[in-house]
Amino acid sequence: MVLTNCWRCARVAPRALLLNNAALRPTSASIVPTASALLRVAPGSVSSFSTSPVAFKDPVKKKAVTMGGSNAKAKGATTLHIKKRAVVRTAKSGAIGERRAQRKKLVLANTNAGKVELPDLTARIATEEDVVGRIFSFDGNTVDAMRTAEGFHLKQGWEFFYKPSTLVRKESIQLGRLVAWINGEEIKGRMRTHQVVKSVVNEETGQTYNVLDTEQRLDTFEELLPGAHTIFKNPEATSEPTPEVEAEQTPEVSAEASAETSAETSTDAPIEGETKAVVPETPVTKEHTLAKAVKNLADESRSARVILHGLRGSGKSVLLLQAMAWAYQRQWVVITIPNAQDLVIGHTEYEFDPSSNLWLQKVYVSALLKKMLRVNEDALKRLRVTKRHAFRGEVVPEGASLHRLVELGTVDPTYAWDIFSTVLHELELPGRPPVFFSLDNFGQITLPSEYRDTTHTLIHALDLALPSVFVDFLSGKRAFWRGLTIAATSSACPRTPALTHALAGDNPSPFKKIDPRIKPIVEKAQLLEPTPLTRPETRAIMEYYKESGLYLQEVEPTLPEKWVLSSGNPKELLAACARVKY
């Protein structure tokens, strides 16, 4: 604390202090005040040696501040009042769902890009191996149908080019052969050089060694058509003796001729009420297999089940798009679920069905029927209903078109699921046209969904009706008379241990808690993994990028660099070529 007087002054009291203190207390002539007595402060007085503020009984209060931040208006003072202008919004507020539609807007053409003359992706080239490594474009009708079916996805790079185009790969031909074989077309194999492992015995030591060797042989049924299954629904057709047909020896054999070998090695359980082809005990000759190939196809059901699995950006969704386009061009009935995430994130209405013990999503199924109606309008008008159907007062008589039945499900979602189930049963009947049933982002239906039951417990995706029906077709519990059921995984979906072990084909530890329903589903389908791009395929893509104006450098000098940096991944190759290099 700072004193107002020097400390030396405290030793000798000033005359003013002596006079002031003498007036405060009674004086006596016999008493002479000392310096210490003079320094003693009387009660209630203020010390002159302190700089502390004076503590009054009623201290001065601060002036009250109004809510507006300014002091109270003084008498006679004037205040400037400025009125705030109301915010005028010139832009119109978006309608309901407009921002979502803008976010999901899909651009499939860019008129600023260079126009490249390319052949169309037709159904004829689906089985030709000579087209591997070439780029084809989608024609107008196919583009419209695939856009309606939501076969094109965002972030696939369609907006950089003049029109949608795609590269035909080895896996594309495998799917194209499946589509053609299910359609009843003849698939021919070729004499190829295959690497085989042979056992060689050393005569001196007697030890056996495995040696890698090559041999010339025809393509097998499994190599030509992975995931294909042949079922005879007429048991009497398999017991009849097969007539022998003379045929010339040729290095090519049809895939139908190898169907008997596939039926012998297949381990799939037959569907209820159906029997698989019985392989005779007699040795199979070339004439016998050819006679089997020319058998009447009316008694034969052909179906295939495939799961596309691979790394992120390896081209799984594009392969699914190519197979869908070839199925549409052959007048198949196309049913697609473009993203399984829409089924499990809890954005659609759902209700419990006691009869099936499943949860129905009628609004989503109604939208699926509407999309199915637009894509397959011509095919559904040609099909007829085999019996009378009634849905809460709405009657569809026998002989009516299947188009009318599907259209009824788009009007009222109340009975959309019942109509969808009826349509699937109609398409399973013998003699029906082929059906293409696909689902993308397969991993989403192997996880618990965001829906909850009455006990507030999460509902597993397989307990939802639509994913459960698709899984029945993928696992072989149900099958179309002729159809292709195909699913594609996605790296954006969190992987579950059950799906990981099922795709890898290994047995998990018995101490791990995994879902036992996933492995039987994957085991019944053929796993098809897209391989990395080869050097010729990479060159073809980069030349297409250069002609479109996306890639400005020379192709040959930079081909090794882009091929190595992308590791043969199509998505990474597009990013490497589109990246500006300084």
Side-chain angles (χ1 to χ4, degrees):
M1 182 177 64
V2 181
L3 300 177
T4 57
N5 299 314
C6 180
W7 64 274
R8 295 184 180 87
C9 299
R11 301 177 59 184
V12 180
R15 182 176 181 82
L17 290 177
L18 294 176
L19 294 177
N20 292 336
N21 287 295
L24 293 176
R25 62 180 63 203
T27 60
S28 176
S30 60
I31 300 176
V32 179
T34 61
S36 59
L38 292 175
L39 291 175
R40 190 179 297 113
V41 181
S45 62
V46 179
S47 175
S48 301
F49 303 97
S50 176
T51 59
S52 300
V54 181
F56 295 96
K57 179 179 180 182
D58 297 325
V60 180
K61 298 181 180 180
K62 292 183 179 181
K63 295 182 179 181
V65 181
T66 59
M67 296 301 294
S70 60
N71 296 333
K73 182 179 179 180
K75 184 177 181 180
T78 58
T79 305
L80 179 62
H81 296 281
I82 300 177
K83 294 183 178 180
K84 294 183 178 180
R85 295 182 180 180
V87 179
V88 180
R89 296 182 178 180
T90 57
K92 297 181 180 180
S93 59
I96 298 176
E98 183 176 352
R99 288 185 298 177
R100 182 174 183 269
Q102 184 67 22
R103 185 176 69 254
K104 292 192 173 184
K105 182 180 180 181
L106 183 63
V107 180
L108 296 179
N110 188 353
T111 56
N112 295 324
K115 186 177 181 180
V116 184
E117 297 295 337
L118 297 172
D120 292 337
L121 186 72
T122 60
R124 181 183 59 84
I125 67 173
T127 59
E128 298 179 1
E129 293 187 1
D130 299 336
V131 300
V132 174
R134 296 175 55 186
I135 297 179
F136 296 85
S137 62
F138 295 95
D139 59 276
N141 295 332
T142 305
V143 170
D144 295 339
M146 296 301 100
R147 179 193 287 270
T148 304
E150 300 183 29
F152 298 103
H153 295 304
L154 295 172
K155 299 181 180 179
Q156 288 183 335
W158 307 109
E159 65 274 9
F160 295 119
F161 307 101
Y162 188 82
K163 61 186 303 186
S165 304
T166 182
L167 173 70
V168 176
R169 307 165 63 180
K170 180 183 67 175
E171 293 79 14
S172 306
I173 298 301
Q174 292 180 353
L175 293 177
R177 285 170 175 171
L178 275 177
V179 174
W181 175 76
I182 295 172
N183 200 54
E185 303 174 15
E186 184 181 4
I187 308 299
K188 294 182 179 181
R190 294 184 179 182
M191 185 70 71
R192 305 175 188 273
T193 302
H194 297 269
Q195 291 185 350
V196 294
V197 178
K198 295 183 178 181
S199 298
V200 179
V201 179
N202 191 342
E203 298 180 354
E204 297 180 357
T205 60
Q207 296 181 354
T208 304
Y209 301 94
N210 293 329
V211 180
L212 186 63
D213 196 2
T214 59
E215 66 176 7
Q216 297 286 331
R217 63 175 176 84
L218 293 173
D219 295 327
T220 62
F221 182 79
E222 290 79 7
E223 293 172 347
L224 286 176
L225 306 171
H229 302 272
T230 305
I231 298 176
F232 291 94
K233 293 197 174 184
N234 184 8
E236 298 179 357
T238 59
S239 60
E240 296 178 357
T242 305
E244 296 184 358
V245 178
E246 296 293 333
E248 298 180 357
Q249 297 292 335
T250 173
E252 297 183 351
V253 61
S254 63
E256 292 86 344
S258 305
E260 185 175 8
T261 306
S262 173
E264 181 181 4
T265 59
S266 177
T267 58
D268 295 342
I271 302 176
E272 295 182 6
E274 302 172 353
T275 58
K276 283 204 171 184
V278 178
V279 181
E281 297 180 357
T282 57
V284 179
T285 61
K286 185 66 176 293
E287 293 80 5
H288 185 84
T289 56
L290 290 177
K292 189 76 171 182
V294 298
K295 184 178 177 61
N296 186 11
L297 298 180
D299 296 333
E300 187 179 15
S301 170
R302 298 182 177 186
S303 63
R305 305 183 292 271
V306 179
I307 296 178
L308 297 175
H309 173 62
L311 300 175
R312 176 181 178 271
S314 58
K316 303 180 294 295
S317 298
V318 176
L319 290 175
L320 189 65
L321 172 65
Q322 293 174 350
M324 189 189 310
W326 284 325
Y328 169 77
Q329 293 171 355
R330 287 176 168 83
Q331 301 296 319
W332 286 25
V333 178
V334 179
I335 307 173
T336 61
I337 302 176
N339 191 356
Q341 185 179 5
D342 298 335
L343 295 172
V344 299
I345 57 178
H347 286 192
T348 60
E349 295 85 347
Y350 67 109
E351 61 181 80
F352 184 70
D353 183 20
S355 60
S356 61
N357 201 23
L358 296 173
W359 296 84
L360 308 181
Q361 297 168 294
K362 295 183 178 180
V363 176
Y364 185 91
V365 173
S366 179
L368 180 62
L369 289 174
K370 186 179 299 184
K371 181 172 57 178
M372 176 181 172
L373 190 68
R374 295 174 57 189
V375 176
N376 311 287
E377 185 174 3
D378 297 336
L380 294 177
K381 286 182 178 179
R382 294 194 301 266
L383 299 177
R384 299 298 170 181
V385 179
T386 57
K387 60 180 180 180
R388 178 180 177 273
H389 299 283
F391 305 96
R392 300 182 183 179
E394 298 291 341
V395 179
V396 179
E398 181 181 355
S401 65
L402 205 59
H403 181 276
R404 179 180 176 184
L405 181 62
V406 176
E407 188 178 14
L408 186 61
T410 62
V411 177
D412 189 0
T414 305
Y415 35 82
W417 175 253
D418 298 333
I419 292 179
F420 182 72
S421 301
T422 304
V423 170
L424 292 181
H425 284 294
E426 289 283 345
L427 295 175
E428 291 180 69
L429 298 177
R432 292 297 187 177
V435 180
F436 182 88
F437 198 7
S438 67
L439 180 141
D440 204 349
N441 204 350
F442 173 69
Q444 291 287 349
I445 64 175
T446 62
L447 298 169
S449 67
E450 297 296 330
Y451 298 98
R452 296 182 182 271
D453 58 9
T454 55
T455 62
H456 204 66
T457 304
L458 291 176
I459 302 173
H460 198 277
L462 295 181
D463 294 329
L464 301 174
L466 187 56
S468 177
V469 168
F470 178 82
V471 164
D472 289 343
F473 283 96
L474 186 63
S475 61
K477 293 182 180 179
R478 298 176 61 179
F480 297 106
W481 175 248
R482 289 193 178 184
L484 173 60
T485 305
I486 181 170
T489 61
S490 175
S491 58
C493 174
R495 299 285 294 275
T496 60
L499 182 60
T500 303
H501 289 291
L503 293 174
D506 55 1
N507 296 322
S509 172
F511 301 101
K512 287 186 178 181
K513 186 178 180 181
I514 62 174
D515 193 349
R517 296 180 292 181
I518 306 302
K519 186 176 181 179
I521 299 172
V522 179
E523 286 180 343
K524 297 298 182 179
Q526 176 69 30
L527 193 63
L528 184 60
E529 298 186 17
T531 57
L533 295 174
T534 61
R535 190 184 182 98
E537 292 174 349
T538 306
R539 180 185 292 105
I541 293 179
M542 293 182 62
E543 290 176 353
Y544 173 65
Y545 290 169
K546 183 175 178 59
E547 294 179 8
S548 299
L550 179 65
Y551 191 60
L552 303 180
Q553 304 179 33
E554 295 296 331
V555 174
E556 286 299 332
T558 58
L559 174 61
E561 174 191 353
K562 303 302 180 182
W563 185 37
V564 172
L565 290 178
S566 63
S567 300
N569 189 292
K571 190 177 186 68
E572 296 298 332
L573 179 61
L574 175 61
C577 293
R579 191 179 300 115
V580 179
K581 185 175 181 180
Y582 296 98

